[in-house]
């Protein structure tokens, strides 16, 4: 076992760090206040190769490993967790799923543009009445011979407003329960496809989250991913990879908050010395650093397993469960160390604290991660 990163992995991490500090940090407070997705920044993310990092270069991707991806995710998330979720959904849920399970025609038509950021993708599983209970899909894809007729509503869709291509789970044969679900590639602009309201969120406010409505949307049969009834399996397998991305986002939020708290603790004096010299603060910093390290190791292990073709669902769920709990705890402590300054926007830690919460909810709540882990332990 060795813990050293390769030169390429270090270069990717450093490029992401520079990009985050030079391009994403300026204006971050305003974008958060205004809930603004800056499309020019999304375009730059694509130009830097951060939107299709793991895709084979023959489909215009970066051909990188999952370890490079999680390193980049951590660096981007330290500064801007909103850009990180745009990146995570496009890389791990959309590009990875399409590359692993899509047909050659689908990859040529869609993946080649998604991996560069020319197109942006969304992953549409959640519904008003099917969040954690994802097998209870109400959206239907009626088989009409050469096409499907799609009807229903998807909720809380990351990139819902800015996406060009959506991977939509829909029920074709309710009697077969989850084995009757299909995943369809649905392009924006089709008749009957309506982008619903934008959600006003607690955190990750400069990413967009929408509901999407489908009313008799005609989707060609060739846009189905995999065999008839493969959609739920597609969603679950893709989410296993996605959970490594969200774990890395949580890690980045935690390490960003910790670094700000560490710096502040050396600069701020109270009772005649820097607050970093008080044991109450030292104990907090020690716990934060230890838990961040543990989360990082769990994420790197899950990424390594994935890169080496080994089962990784349990380890991804563990990494996401743990890293998201650490993000919440560390960001709250970072605000506490900053005192009153931590409660105002200028010091960035209150935003990281708000951003942290969603990592315990999306791509499977902490409770769902425990179910995934327990089922794997007990099988
Ligand atoms: N990996 C692979 N397959 C899995 C799996 C996993 N982690 N978890 C479940 N499955 C498979 C099961 O093996 C089973 O398949 P077979 O019948 O072929 O054996 C099938 O899925 C159904 O599983 P269960 O019988 O266990 O069904 P269940 O209803 O009891 O539990 C669940 C399923 C695990 C709770 C699942 O519904 C789940 O993961 N829910 C959470 C959904 C989720 O993560 N949503 C996130 C939305 S996407 C998002 O947030 C993106 C974004 O925009 C940021």
């Amino acid at each position: 076992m060795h813990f050293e990163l390769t030169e390429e992995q270090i270069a990717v991490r450093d490029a992401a760090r520079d990009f985050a500090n030079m391009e994403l940090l300026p204006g971050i407070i305003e974008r958060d206040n205004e809930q603004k997705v800056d499309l020019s920044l999304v375009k730059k993310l694509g130009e830097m190769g951060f939107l299709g990092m793991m895709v084979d270069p023959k489909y215009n991707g970066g051909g990188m490993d999952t370890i490079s991806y999680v390193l980049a995710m951590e660096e981007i998330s330290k500064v801007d967790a909103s850009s990180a979720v745009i990146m995570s959904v496009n890389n791990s849920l959309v590009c990875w799923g399409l590359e692993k399970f899509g047909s050659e025609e689908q990859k040529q038509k869609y993946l080649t543009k998604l991996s560069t950021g020319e197109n942006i993708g969304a992953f549409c599983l959640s519904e008003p009445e099917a969040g954690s209970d994802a097998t209870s899909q109400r959206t239907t894809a009626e088989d009409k011979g050469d096409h499907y007729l799609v009807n229903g509503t998807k909720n809380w869709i990351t990139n819902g407003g800015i996406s060009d291509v959506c991977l939509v789970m829909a029920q074709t044969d309710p009697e077969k329960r989850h084995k009757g679900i299909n995943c369809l590639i649905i392009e924006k602009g089709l008749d009957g496809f309506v982008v619903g309201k934008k959600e006003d969120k607690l955190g990750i406010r400069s990413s967009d989250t929408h509901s999407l409505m489908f009313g008799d949307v005609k989707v060609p049969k060739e846009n189905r991913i995999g065999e008839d009834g493969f959609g739920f399996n597609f969603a679950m397998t893709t989410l296993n990879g996605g959970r490594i991305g969200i774990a890395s986002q949580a890690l980045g939020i935690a390490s960003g908050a910790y670094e700000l708290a560490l710096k502040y603790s050396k600069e701020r004096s109270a009772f005649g010395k820097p607050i970093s010299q008080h044991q109450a603060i030292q104990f907090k910093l020690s716990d934060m650093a230890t838990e961040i390290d543990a989360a990082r190791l769990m994420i790197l292990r899950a990424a390594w397993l994935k890169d080496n073709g080994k089962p990784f669902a349990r380890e991804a769920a563990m990494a996401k469960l743990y890293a998201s709990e650490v993000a919440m705890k560390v960001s709250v402590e970072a605000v506490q160390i900053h005192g009153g300054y931590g409660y105002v926007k200028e010091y960035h830690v209150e935003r990281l604290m708000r951003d942290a919460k969603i990592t315990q909810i999306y791509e499977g709540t902490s409770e769902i991660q425990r179910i995934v882990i327990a089922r794997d332990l007990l099988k």
Side-chain angles (χ1 to χ4, degrees), residues 85 89 93 123-126 131-135 156-159 177-179 232-233 236-237 239-240 243 246 313 361-365 368-369 371-372 375:
V85 72
V89 167
L93 295 185
F123 182 86
C124 309
L125 176 67
S126 302
S132 290
D133 183 11
T135 58
W156 310 297
I157 303 303
T158 304
N159 297 345
R177 289 192 58 247
H178 64 279
K179 292 185 196 306
F232 194 73
N233 194 329
M236 290 297 109
T237 310
L239 275 167
N240 289 333
R243 287 166 185 164
I246 298 303
I361 298 174
Y362 59 19
E363 298 202 23
T365 61
I368 290 294
Q369 305 311 321
I371 289 176
V372 172
R375 286 187 183 168

Side-chain angles (χ1 to χ4, degrees), residues 306-349:
K306 178 169 169 282
D307 282 337
N308 285 277
K310 296 176 191 295
F312 65 91
R314 186 210 299 188
E315 290 77 6
M318 285 176 163
K320 199 249 182 203
L321 170 64
Y322 187 70
S324 60
E325 309 276 323
V326 170
M328 203 62 241
K329 190 172 157 199
V330 166
S331 58
V332 168
E333 287 292 48
V335 171
Q336 191 69 19
I337 289 173
H338 280 77
Y341 291 107
Y343 205 65
V344 298
K345 302 209 171 201
E346 199 184 327
Y347 284 76
H348 298 288
V349 282

Side-chain angles (χ1 to χ4, degrees), residues 127-304:
E127 299 186 351
E129 290 174 87
S132 290
D133 183 11
T135 58
S136 299
Q137 296 285 299
R138 306 279 204 282
T139 298
T140 53
E142 208 183 324
D143 190 337
K144 293 284 189 187
D146 65 337
H147 67 273
Y148 289 101
L149 207 55
V150 178
N151 281 286
T153 300
K154 294 289 172 181
N155 254 26
W156 310 297
I157 303 303
T158 304
N159 297 345
I162 64 168
S163 55
D164 308 278
V165 175
C166 298
L167 304 187
V168 180
M169 277 22 92
Q171 181 59 264
T172 297
D173 189 346
E175 282 185 10
K176 292 188 183 160
R177 289 192 58 247
H178 64 279
K179 292 185 196 306
I181 293 172
N182 281 309
C183 175
L184 306 177
I185 306 169
I186 309 191
E187 291 173 44
K188 280 271 180 69
L190 288 183
D191 280 350
F193 185 169
V194 176
V195 176
K197 76 172 166 77
K198 178 169 169 165
E199 302 294 350
D200 184 358
K201 307 189 297 276
L202 173 74
I204 55 163
R205 285 169 62 82
S206 47
S207 69
D208 75 336
T209 309
H210 285 255
S211 51
L212 300 176
M213 274 85 84
F214 303 90
D216 282 340
V217 178
K218 233 174 131 174
V219 181
K221 267 274 170 72
E222 65 257 26
N223 280 27
R224 185 184 73 211
I225 297 183
E227 294 297 308
D228 186 25
F230 177 65
F232 194 73
N233 194 329
F234 169 84
M236 290 297 109
T237 310
T238 305
L239 275 167
N240 289 333
R243 287 166 185 164
I244 299 177
I246 298 303
S248 317
Q249 183 196 29
L251 172 64
I253 293 169
S255 51
Y258 161 76
E259 284 174 15
L260 288 167
L262 181 68
K263 180 168 174 284
Y264 180 83
S265 73
K266 292 187 218 165
E267 291 164 1
R268 172 76 175 171
S269 285
F271 306 104
K273 55 185 178 183
I275 60 169
S276 61
Q277 296 307 309
H278 292 286
Q279 198 179 53
I281 302 297
Q282 290 175 353
F283 279 13
K284 283 189 199 297
L285 292 170
S286 302
D287 287 350
M288 291 156 91
T290 305
E291 288 167 13
I292 287 169
D293 246 23
R296 188 178 290 114
L297 290 172
M298 290 176 81
I299 292 168
L300 289 172
R301 176 184 62 168
W304 183 89

